[in-house]
Amino acid sequence: QADAIEMFYDECITPLDEMIAGTYTADKLMSTFGEYQYSNAIVFFMRLVCSCCLQTEEEEFAPFLMGEGLTVKQFVTTEVEPLDKEVEHVQIMGLCKAMNVGIQIETLDRSDGPVNHHIFPDGCQPQVFMLYRPGHYDLLYKS
C-alpha cells in the first residue's frame, strides 16, 4: 500500500513543484488533467490528504457526521477515499484545512433572495471561489 501511495504522491507533487518553479504552462496543465493516469492520481492523492486531515482532527469533524451514523474512519473509508464518490461539505472543509487554503462557496438554490456564501475556514481570506448548485460545484474565476 505504501508503494501505491508514493506513486500517487509523485504524480501529484511533480506538477506542483513545476508550478511553484514557474515552469508549468497552462497548456501542460490542461494536458496533464486530460490524461486519465495523472488526473486520477492527483485526485486520489488529494482524497488521501483530506482523509488524513479528517482522521487527525476527528473531534472537529465528527459532529458533522452525526446524521450519517458513521464514525470518521467509516466515513473516510466509504465517502472520501473512493474515487467514484462525490465531494461534499465535510470533504471540502477537510481539504481546505489540510492544504491551508481558504475557499468561498456561493450557493444557488431555487429560493428568491440573495446568493448565500460560506467561507472555509471561518475568518480566512478566500483564495478559491466556487459556485454550488444542488449536486454540483463549479470553479468561479474573477474577471
Side-chain angles (χ1 to χ4, degrees), residues 47 79-80 82-88 91 135-137:
R47 286 178 174 272
E79 301 297 325
V80 178
L83 282 172
D84 63 342
K85 294 293 185 170
E86 295 291 325
V87 171
E88 300 292 339
Q91 291 97 315
H136 185 75
Y137 290 90

Side-chain angles (χ1 to χ4, degrees), residues 21-99:
T23 60
Y24 210 77
T25 65
D27 288 340
K28 191 169 182 182
L29 178 67
M30 294 303 290
S31 173
T32 298
F33 275 94
E35 293 181 37
Y36 182 79
Q37 168 192 351
Y38 294 111
S39 63
N40 273 356
I42 292 167
V43 169
F44 184 69
F45 183 73
M46 290 296 124
R47 286 178 174 272
L48 290 178
V49 168
C50 179
S51 174
C52 290
C53 180
L54 294 177
Q55 291 178 75
T56 302
E57 305 290 336
E58 184 172 353
E59 287 184 19
E60 181 179 341
F61 292 105
F64 292 99
L65 305 178
M66 286 178 149
E68 303 287 328
L70 299 173
T71 66
V72 170
K73 178 64 177 164
Q74 291 168 328
F75 180 76
V76 299
T77 301
T78 60
E79 301 297 325
V80 178
E81 295 172 0
L83 282 172
D84 63 342
K85 294 293 185 170
E86 295 291 325
V87 171
E88 300 292 339
H89 186 86
V90 175
Q91 291 97 315
I92 291 171
M93 290 188 324
L95 189 59
C96 288
K97 181 168 186 142
M99 301 299 290

